[in-house]
Amino acid sequence: MKKALALILVLALCLCLFAGCANNGAASGGSENAAANAENNAATNAEAASGYALDKSWPAEKVKIGVIAFDTTDESFMGVMEYYNYLAQYYNVEFTVSEAIQSAEHEFQFIDSCAAAGCKGIIAYYNVAGAESIKHCTDQGMYYWGMAEFYESVKDDPHFVGGYTFSNPDDPDAKNGDYMGGYELGLTMGNAGLKHIAFCNGGASFGVQMFIDRQQGFFDGIAAAQAAGSETQFDPAVDVIEGFPDEAYFAAQAAFFSADYDGVVVSFDAFTWFQPIIESGKDIKVGCIGTVSETYKSFVDNGTVIALVYDCPEIVFGSAFADLMNAITGHEDLTRTADGLALLNPTQRWTLSGADDFNAVYEKHINDESFFVTAEQMATILGDLNESATRDDVCAMFNKSLDDCLK
């Protein structure tokens, strides 16, 4: 998406729904009036950043950042990289992407190659080796941005800049966002009047925590629907398709079409299902962790995809760029709590429950050729470019609901 960037708009930073951005035990130690402070600072921040020429002249020395992926062809990941490559048009940065990471050893090798290439930071879109991966990175002097589940063991590492944690403003005590995403899919598909559904569990079979959480959330969501009267059949002992697309996965998919299923839930992108559904001639309904893209549009519009849990790239993964660039350029205070611990940025996963929700985001990203966090808006939370930026401003930038962004 080529962006025609306009003058910076006054940011709606008052939308920060957390005072001090505390989540999952990572209290920010910020002002109790964080939302009010963010609102008061919005105009100042916008004015400060809009006067800076985003012409790749900052920072003066190019910054290289490595990105760890589980599947470089996954549409969700491709959406994230599209956003990072967009930012690279305006900032002096370069992103190096891993191949599909299959093991801890492979992950360590990629981190080593990034260090040898002069990378200053790592974005962990995926993590196989847990806290050991973070330590392997930070021991080599690179900053690391990653997931919340490893926070407690590395929160005081000066090279760990934190990451994101999914928030639920309507229920602050809710379980993590991966679990809730799976739960939403299970509940929605369980209440859709389907006879029999299967579940693709992604990396749960490999012990990857985010997929384990999505699977458990789905199991609980479909069970809740069944307990409330849904007659949709699902048995976790026989109705689970394991792993990612490979020979065994496609064999299980073929068996799916020979059975009586009329629905499938995918804990990652569902694009491997669309052509087989067309070829089968069956009316199969799909729920997934998916993307707002051309691949999905026709399948949402024709009613095939009826539930889509969406990680808006700039909302969920934009803070990685801000946190790493702030740390690398000497503004670590914007990445840490008042107690000096790494900051977890609360962000929101969006559930698109139909074509109206989907097309509202699609119009913004495709037809309007824009992101919900533009390069100019990003500049307002970078310490080098805006000396008034605060931790609360960083949190407010990314902790937004779908409704917040569409407003």
Side-chain angles (χ1 to χ4, degrees):
M1 290 178 283
K2 296 181 179 178
K3 313 300 177 199
L5 294 171
L7 293 176
I8 185 68
L9 300 176
V10 175
L11 305 179
L13 296 179
C14 58
L15 295 173
C16 184
L17 301 176
F18 280 76
C21 307
N23 195 286
N24 284 5
S28 73
S31 166
E32 293 180 357
N33 297 313
N37 289 342
E39 182 177 8
N40 292 336
N41 288 338
T44 300
N45 289 351
E47 181 179 358
S50 65
Y52 188 85
L54 298 179
D55 57 2
K56 293 180 70 71
S57 60
W58 182 87
E61 182 179 348
K62 178 175 287 187
V63 170
K64 296 180 180 180
I65 296 173
V67 185
I68 301 175
F70 72 84
D71 179 1
T72 57
T73 66
D74 177 82
E75 282 209 337
S76 294
F77 177 75
M78 292 170 67
V80 172
M81 287 311 305
E82 183 175 18
Y83 181 61
Y84 290 158
N85 290 332
Y86 153 75
L87 292 176
Q89 297 176 48
Y90 302 95
Y91 298 99
N92 192 17
V93 297
E94 177 182 312
F95 294 96
T96 299
V97 182
S98 74
E99 297 176 351
I101 297 297
Q102 301 292 333
S103 66
E105 181 181 7
H106 192 191
E107 188 169 8
F108 294 151
Q109 289 172 353
F110 175 70
I111 291 171
D112 289 341
S113 70
C114 286
C119 289
K120 299 295 185 182
I122 292 287
I123 296 173
Y125 184 84
Y126 186 58
N127 180 304
V128 175
E132 287 302 311
S133 177
I134 301 173
K135 188 174 186 299
H136 192 75
C137 172
T138 61
D139 281 350
Q140 299 185 69
M142 291 185 292
Y143 290 98
Y144 188 101
W145 184 96
M147 302 173 190
E149 58 260 37
F150 312 117
Y151 177 83
E152 288 300 322
S153 61
V154 294
K155 61 186 178 183
D156 55 354
D157 185 329
H159 280 87
F160 175 62
V161 298
Y164 72 89
T165 182
F166 286 118
S167 68
N168 184 346
D170 296 326
D171 184 5
D173 297 323
K175 295 185 179 181
N176 71 55
D178 283 306
Y179 174 92
M180 292 307 298
Y183 187 91
E184 286 286 330
L185 290 174
L187 190 65
T188 301
M189 295 293 281
N191 288 326
L194 301 173
K195 295 184 302 180
H196 192 185
I197 62 178
F199 176 71
C200 299
N201 76 351
S205 306
F206 310 143
V208 178
Q209 191 61 47
M210 72 175 182
F211 288 107
I212 293 173
D213 291 342
R214 292 175 187 181
Q215 175 171 272
Q216 189 58 56
F218 171 78
F219 288 173
D220 292 350
I222 187 68
Q226 291 169 334
S230 170
E231 297 182 356
T232 299
Q233 179 184 344
F234 174 78
D235 182 349
V238 296
D239 294 327
V240 172
I241 297 173
E242 297 186 347
F244 297 115
D246 59 16
E247 186 175 345
Y249 175 92
F250 288 121
Q253 186 184 66
F256 168 94
F257 286 106
S258 65
D260 66 345
Y261 295 106
D262 59 350
V264 60
V265 171
V266 188
S267 65
F268 49 96
D269 265 325
F271 69 94
T272 59
W273 284 86
F274 295 145
Q275 188 60 34
I277 287 174
I278 293 172
E279 293 173 354
S280 75
K282 292 188 172 184
D283 182 16
I284 305 292
K285 302 300 183 184
V286 176
C288 62
I289 308 288
T291 60
V292 175
S293 65
E294 290 289 347
T295 299
Y296 277 89
K297 181 168 173 52
S298 63
F299 293 97
V300 172
D301 288 342
N302 71 15
T304 297
V305 176
I306 60 175
L308 190 149
V309 173
Y310 177 55
D311 293 350
C312 181
E314 61 268 35
I315 294 298
V316 178
F317 295 98
S319 61
F321 181 84
D323 288 343
L324 286 176
M325 295 303 290
N326 276 326
I328 290 166
T329 57
H331 299 277
E332 290 93 340
D333 58 305
L334 296 180
T335 73
R336 310 199 79 76
T337 70
D339 296 328
L341 304 177
L343 177 66
L344 290 178
N345 296 288
T347 190
Q348 298 180 44
R349 169 170 271 165
W350 301 343
T351 299
L352 309 182
S353 57
D356 288 346
D357 285 349
F358 180 95
N359 285 314
V361 178
Y362 180 88
E363 292 293 324
K364 176 69 174 179
H365 276 166
I366 304 296
N367 293 347
D368 193 37
E369 295 189 335
S370 185
F371 288 103
F372 289 112
V373 180
T374 65
E376 286 102 335
Q377 289 173 320
M378 183 68 74
T380 68
I381 54 173
L382 298 174
D384 261 13
L385 307 186
N386 179 20
E387 62 182 13
S388 300
T390 69
R391 288 188 299 267
D392 294 332
D393 297 332
V394 176
C395 290
M397 184 68 74
F398 305 106
N399 191 21
K400 296 174 181 175
S401 69
L402 174 61
D403 286 344
D404 291 336
C405 285
L406 293 181
K407 288 175 183 175

